[in-house]
Amino acid sequence: MAKRFPQNNNETFNSLSPTAAGDAPKPRLLDQVRNCIRRRHYSIRTEQTYVDWIKRYIYFHKKQHPEDMDENHITDFLNYLAVDRKVASSTQNQALCALVFLYRHVLKKDLPQFENLIHAKRPSKLPVVFTREEVRDILLQLEGVTWIMGQLLYGAGLRVMECVRLRIKDIDFGYRQITVRDGKGHKDRITMLPVIIVEPLKRHLEKTKKAHELDLEAGFGKVFLPYALERKYPHANKSWDWQYVFPASRRSIDPRSGAEQRHHLSEAVLQRAIKKAIKTNNISKPGSCHSMRHSFATHLLESGYDIRTVQELLGHKDVSTTMIYTHVLNKGGKGVQSPSDTLFQDA
């Protein structure tokens, strides 16, 4: 068994794409995987993750072709991840999803035992929630673009990727609202635009527009468009409405199209800023950007807003997901008063 997976391997996997004599050569296995993923409009991150797990699976079994392997090989690989590598349950399930996708959608091989493959059970964890004072202290440590983005995480309940992927057309200053497009579960939703960031955001967009105009003068100015919109609206990728609210400081090469264009700001910029702010304020909670979203939901419930309203703002499919935030309203111990606090009351 392989004990170590190569991190950067440029093998072409030609041997993993057998063709019959006289037939046109098939695309390489991993290219078939990529094509299948793109037909389903999965994100590029999902594509990269699935391809990586399939590579690891093949290397683990000494480069056997997946066609020649079955559910027992998948089980061996998953057991190796759990027992030897001690990966988290979410990581193990991610690997399983990648392999099920490979066999079902690429190799068209619905293994009979797929239904019996067990997803690792994720431990039930309560969300990390900051107090209002902790949120204030964190936001005071941010400045410029990261301050605006931090306010959107806490003030609008955005996920970090929803924040960095915002487009100009998604901001409605008139109605003070934000439209989150293609969020988790490929769903759209509307949330509020915090009044506190309206003027700073307008000033930021003025600078962003000037940078976009300079890109256009230099012969660039394009931005990534989802699905087939670039073919349907040939000039939309250069229009101001489709530009990112938080663009990257430099242009880059799109990994799929090969075009030089300006992508959105890396989420790592905001993640590092939030982590630094937490550390600077000596907050002992293991918080992150997502903790700002947890705090948004919890503080709304504390203020008396209906849980269904909070569910819609968060974009949760089921209200039971939103219910997890109600644990904080019980003030610890499910609202039960400690016997230590009543021991001497009647003395």
Side-chain angles (χ1 to χ4, degrees), residues 109-213:
K109 188 176 179 182
D110 200 2
L111 299 179
Q113 297 301 317
F114 264 170
E115 300 303 324
N116 296 326
L117 287 173
I118 300 174
H119 287 256
K121 186 176 180 181
R122 297 184 64 177
S124 179
K125 294 183 179 179
L126 295 176
V128 175
V129 177
F130 297 125
T131 64
R132 296 172 189 269
E133 293 74 19
E134 288 170 337
V135 171
R136 182 197 60 212
D137 291 342
I138 290 170
L139 292 174
L140 286 174
Q141 292 293 325
L142 306 179
E143 57 184 16
V145 173
T146 57
W147 180 83
I148 296 174
M149 296 173 79
Q151 290 284 3
L152 287 173
L153 299 188
Y154 174 68
L158 299 190
R159 298 177 177 91
V160 64
M161 291 309 301
E162 292 172 346
C163 181
V164 299
R165 287 173 177 165
L166 278 178
R167 311 269 185 161
I168 303 299
K169 64 183 183 62
D170 299 330
I171 306 294
D172 189 333
F173 288 105
Y175 281 102
R176 295 285 193 272
Q177 67 183 26
I178 299 170
T179 303
V180 180
R181 308 281 184 183
D182 205 18
K184 190 173 182 180
H186 303 288
K187 295 179 293 184
D188 293 356
R189 74 178 191 277
I190 291 177
T191 186
M192 73 281 283
L193 174 65
V195 176
I196 192 174
I197 69 167
V198 167
E199 292 306 319
L201 183 56
K202 285 181 177 179
R203 292 193 294 270
H204 165 73
L205 292 181
E206 288 174 2
K207 296 178 183 178
T208 301
K209 191 169 187 178
K210 290 179 182 177
H212 175 58
E213 290 170 351

Side-chain angles (χ1 to χ4, degrees), residues 4 18 24 35 49 58 71 83 86 106 197 216 222 233 302 304-305 318:
R4 179 176 173 273
N35 292 337
T49 300
I58 291 169
E71 64 274 7
V83 177
K86 296 180 173 59
V106 180
I197 69 167
L216 290 174
K222 290 183 179 181
Y233 306 108
E302 285 179 338
Y305 286 96
D318 196 309

Side-chain angles (χ1 to χ4, degrees), residues 201-253:
L201 183 56
K202 285 181 177 179
R203 292 193 294 270
H204 165 73
L205 292 181
E206 288 174 2
K207 296 178 183 178
T208 301
K209 191 169 187 178
K210 290 179 182 177
H212 175 58
E213 290 170 351
L214 291 175
D215 278 349
L216 290 174
E217 291 176 7
F220 298 100
K222 290 183 179 181
V223 71
F224 166 77
L225 295 184
Y227 311 125
L229 287 177
E230 191 165 349
R231 291 196 302 272
K232 190 174 182 180
Y233 306 108
H235 303 293
N237 57 5
K238 287 188 175 183
S239 71
W240 168 240
D241 292 347
W242 277 98
Q243 300 301 308
Y244 289 112
V245 174
F246 304 109
S249 58
R250 292 180 294 180
R251 296 188 297 270
S252 58
I253 303 299

Side-chain angles (χ1 to χ4, degrees), residues 25-71:
K26 278 186 179 180
R28 294 174 295 177
L29 178 67
L30 296 184
D31 287 338
Q32 293 179 52
V33 173
R34 293 185 182 99
N35 292 337
C36 196
I37 288 174
R38 293 175 189 183
R39 285 198 300 272
R40 286 165 173 78
H41 301 297
Y42 288 7
S43 72
I44 191 169
R45 292 179 180 235
T46 301
E47 175 184 323
Q48 293 167 343
T49 300
Y50 277 22
V51 167
D52 182 61
W53 278 119
I54 292 167
K55 279 184 180 181
R56 293 180 178 219
Y57 173 65
I58 291 169
Y59 277 112
F60 177 79
H61 289 294
K62 303 185 186 303
K63 299 185 183 178
Q64 291 185 67
H65 195 285
E67 282 274 15
D68 302 325
M69 296 188 276
D70 54 26
E71 64 274 7

